[in-house]
Structures are given as structure tokens and as C-alpha cells.
Amino acid sequence: QVRLVESGGGSVQAGGSLRLSCEASGYIYSSVMGWFRQAPGKEREGVACTSVNGLHTTYADSVKGRFTLSRDNSKKMLYLEMSNVKPEDTAIYYCAASAVGTWYGRRSLESDKYDYWGQGTQVTVSS
């Protein structure tokens, strides 16, 4: 069983930076991992995800060039570096992992590709 715990959320002003961390327990070495977010009244959307070995990464168009995803399998950690944040980045951010390590390219941003979810961490960006 995989357990995911997010940390690093908080309040930040527009244009600022924030780093989210996801600590995993259990076997994640054959998991695609990613970050999703859900704003009030909106559906959950994929933000960024990376393949089992970290060689492939894809980003939502809305965060490309501003967010950077990284993965450290030796520490069972997933990170999301957020820079130049905008008010529209305000959401609960969730870490996710798949049970199967298939890489679907941009379709890996779809939430139905994931089986394990963290509880989420709130990010609030003020203008």
C-alpha cells in the first residue's frame, strides 16, 4: 500500500515562490507520480507528472515555464517548485501515484491514471 503525505503549502503573494513536497511510503518505484490541484467550484486538474524513472515529465499549459517537478526515488520524495505564482494557482494541491508504471505522455495528467492520493495541501496566492 502506498501512502502519500504533502507538505509545503501556505500563503504567498503573486509573483512569489513556493515548494511543495510529497513524502511517499510503500513501493513507489514502479509508479508514475504527479501533482494535481482543485480550486473551489472547479474540477481536479493535473498540474505536472513524471514517469517511473523521472526521465519523462509533462506539465499543464497553465504552469509550464513556472513550475518544476522533480522526483527523488532514493528518498521517496516528489517535489513541485512553484515560481511566479498567480492568484489562479490558488487551490488544494494533491500528490498522486499510480499502481502501474505506464507512461501515457500528456494523458498522464488525467486523474483516472492514478490510484493513490494524498490528503492535499492548501496553496493561496494573493494579488
Side-chain angles (χ1 to χ4, degrees), residues 63-77:
V63 307
K64 199 174 296 183
R66 300 188 298 119
F67 291 9
T68 302
L69 180 68
S70 61
R71 175 176 186 162
D72 187 340
N73 281 346
S74 67
K75 297 180 180 179
K76 294 188 178 181
M77 296 292 295

Side-chain angles (χ1 to χ4, degrees), residues 2-6 22-24 28 33 95-97 116-119:
V2 173
R3 182 170 178 260
L4 305 170
V5 179
E6 304 95 337
C22 172
E23 182 175 6
I28 52 88
M33 297 188 73
C95 179
Y116 307 105
W117 295 84
Q119 293 300 306

Side-chain angles (χ1 to χ4, degrees), residues 4-20:
L4 305 170
V5 179
E6 304 95 337
S7 62
S11 297
V12 61
Q13 288 193 328
S17 300
L18 208 60
R19 187 197 202 201
L20 304 184

Side-chain angles (χ1 to χ4, degrees), residues 45-64:
E45 64 171 346
V47 175
C49 55
T50 185
S51 59
V52 169
N53 53 14
L55 289 182
H56 304 288
T57 303
T58 193
Y59 296 90
D61 290 342
S62 58
V63 307
K64 199 174 296 183

Side-chain angles (χ1 to χ4, degrees), residues 91-109:
I92 299 174
Y93 283 71
Y94 298 91
C95 179
S98 68
V100 178
T102 305
W103 179 248
Y104 294 97
R106 286 198 63 80
R107 289 183 57 206
S108 291
L109 288 172

